Amino acid sequence: GDMSSFSHPRRYRLAILPYNTLSLVHDEEGLSALLDCVALHLLPGGEFAFDMVLPETFPYVRPPYEAVPFECQLEVEGVDVRFCERGRYEPESRIVTLTRTFTFSDGLVREIELRLYHWPVPTLERVLQSHGYEFTVPALDERGHPVSETSVIYMARVRRE
């Protein structure tokens, strides 16, 4: 389904968009549509929680902008699977491309490519506010550092009635 144009008869206190899903939206128009749709499904004062990977934690956000491939062998329901992930960062577009290859013991190969946009926090905050959300501080520890070393969980409270 399209996460920017869904419909459900109920409204909720909390909407959650986990696992960097927001990074699949690459432009402000798409982000605006998503935020409007989520707001329609929240109760007054409801909250929208999402997480974002901190781009600086990726090893390929600095030259040469490519990561050493990560590989592992898995067994899934009795089937051997070789998994390989390659990552590349395009600094001009702020896009991280992750290519995940699954090679099964029967010779079947499947490849998935994810293109994740890393939203600059000031832009994200501005767009959230322009759509009636109150952007709250990400989850921080007692020293003021993100709770996770690789991602930040954000909360935004909708101000709409």
Side-chain angles (χ1 to χ4, degrees):
D2 183 347
M3 65 182 166
S4 63
S5 66
F6 59 90
S7 179
H8 193 275
R10 287 188 55 199
R11 294 176 78 187
Y12 301 88
R13 289 184 312 188
L14 176 66
I16 301 171
L17 196 61
Y19 305 115
N20 305 299
T21 305
L22 197 68
S23 296
L24 294 170
V25 179
H26 295 190
D27 57 47
E28 286 189 34
E29 181 181 326
L31 180 59
S32 293
L34 175 113
L35 293 172
D36 284 342
C37 192
V38 169
L40 289 173
H41 292 83
L42 289 173
L43 292 167
E47 293 183 312
F48 176 42
F50 56 94
D51 68 328
M52 299 284 287
V53 167
L54 297 171
E56 58 273 11
T57 65
F58 281 120
Y60 36 85
V61 296
R62 293 172 293 286
Y65 302 115
E66 291 200 26
V68 174
F70 168 78
E71 295 190 38
C72 68
Q73 191 79 24
L74 311 165
E75 185 180 317
V76 180
E77 297 181 8
V79 176
D80 288 327
V81 181
R82 189 175 141 267
F83 171 78
C84 178
E85 179 178 275
R86 295 179 309 284
R88 180 179 77 254
Y89 181 62
E90 302 159 15
E92 305 80 35
S93 64
R94 300 182 56 88
I95 298 283
V96 169
T97 302
L98 299 176
T99 304
R100 296 175 174 167
T101 305
F102 301 86
T103 305
F104 297 87
S105 54
D106 64 0
L108 179 66
V109 176
R110 290 288 183 253
E111 191 166 89
I112 300 169
E113 184 175 277
L114 297 172
R115 293 179 48 80
L116 305 174
Y117 179 71
H118 288 288
W119 287 94
V121 174
T123 302
L124 190 59
E125 184 173 358
R126 177 181 49 76
V127 175
L128 280 162
Q129 289 175 345
S130 73
H131 287 274
Y133 289 87
E134 175 186 316
F135 189 71
T136 60
V137 177
L140 303 174
D141 66 17
E142 63 280 351
R143 296 170 298 157
H145 296 117
V147 173
S148 166
E149 292 183 17
T150 59
S151 64
V152 177
I153 297 171
Y154 294 96
M155 295 289 289
R157 180 170 287 119
V158 69
R159 290 190 306 257
R160 296 182 182 172
E161 296 302 317

